[in-house]
Amino acid sequence: MIGYVKGKVLGIEESTVLLENNGIGYEITCSSEAITKLSENGEGEVYTYTAVREDDISLYGFISQEEKKAFLSLITVSGVGPKMGITILSGMALNELLYAIATEDVKSLSKVKGLGKKTAERIILELREKVGEVLEPPKKSKTAEQPKKISEAGEDSIIALTSLGFTKNESVKAVTEAEENGLVTPEEIIAYAIKHIK
């Protein structure tokens, strides 16, 4: 099994990278973070997973060991194969994915293209205990930081945004950005947040 490839980028097409190492070109389907880094540098390294089927052998590449571990966990879930696993990692940043699973945020997870609500629920059900332990320390530190960063107007804006259907995580992030850009009234903050929540 090939677990790691380092080399020169010969070409990138959508989510697939052709990475040359010692005269051999490896065609690797990569996460969006790995694609971004490789395209910027023109060379680099990825941690890989080899998927073997009767009629196909495919390589999947990741920016870090942590991202690869998340992928390996995802594909243990019924209904999530390697292609869907890499799609999920490309649709959400790793921290956002782990946070969504730990907080049982089905809505955020379901926003990934091609991932249905039932599969999102199954991912959360089967993986939440694993990622919950990993995320406990940063989760606490985030909670401790929020009162310092977000004003009373910001808190009101978060309540308003969640009532409009946005998740708490999305709302907090957008409101924090709005206040960092100098916006102070709830009207200004909410208008900014609605425009910038993806």
Side-chain angles (χ1 to χ4, degrees):
M1 181 182 288
I2 299 168
Y4 171 89
V5 180
K6 181 177 181 180
K8 181 179 178 182
V9 176
L10 299 182
I12 295 177
E13 187 174 341
E14 296 182 358
S15 61
T16 303
V17 175
L18 186 60
L19 201 60
E20 187 269 333
N21 175 280
N22 290 328
I24 300 173
Y26 296 89
E27 197 170 79
I28 309 169
T29 300
C30 293
S31 68
S32 58
E33 280 200 55
I35 289 282
T36 299
K37 188 172 181 181
L38 290 169
S39 62
E40 286 174 354
N41 300 335
E43 60 181 11
E45 59 190 29
V46 286
Y47 294 91
T48 57
Y49 168 78
T50 309
V52 181
R53 293 184 177 180
E54 289 183 6
D55 58 346
D56 181 59
I57 298 177
S58 300
L59 278 176
Y60 293 86
F62 312 93
I63 196 71
S64 64
Q65 288 277 31
E66 290 74 23
E67 193 177 60
K68 181 179 177 180
K69 285 177 184 176
F71 171 84
L72 292 174
S73 293
L74 284 169
I75 62 174
T76 64
V77 177
S78 176
V80 180
K83 287 183 180 178
M84 178 53 69
I86 205 81
T87 298
I88 293 169
L89 286 170
S90 294
M92 304 178 76
L94 181 58
N95 285 342
E96 291 175 352
L97 170 64
L98 297 179
Y99 189 74
I101 294 170
T103 57
E104 301 181 38
D105 188 351
V106 176
K107 185 176 178 182
S108 291
L109 201 54
S110 298
K111 287 181 179 179
V112 175
K113 187 178 180 181
L115 182 63
K117 185 180 177 183
K118 286 186 178 179
T119 305
E121 289 173 343
R122 198 179 301 124
I123 289 170
I124 288 169
L125 180 65
E126 295 188 23
L127 302 183
R128 66 187 172 193
E129 290 184 7
K130 294 180 182 178
V131 301
E133 294 175 6
V134 175
L135 283 183
E136 196 61 31
K139 216 166 98 181
K140 286 179 180 175
S141 65
K142 280 184 183 178
T143 304
E145 287 171 5
Q146 282 175 15
K148 297 178 185 177
K149 289 187 175 182
I150 299 174
S151 67
E152 188 175 336
E155 294 289 352
D156 291 340
S157 300
I158 290 168
I159 292 169
L161 289 165
T162 53
S163 71
L164 291 171
F166 298 108
T167 67
K168 179 76 179 290
N169 197 34
E170 289 171 335
S171 302
V172 170
K173 185 177 178 183
V175 168
T176 301
E177 286 178 6
E179 293 194 333
E180 285 174 353
N181 283 312
L183 303 179
V184 292
T185 68
E187 292 78 13
E188 291 174 331
I189 294 169
I190 291 168
Y192 176 93
I194 290 172
K195 284 183 181 179
H196 290 80
I197 289 177
K198 296 179 180 178

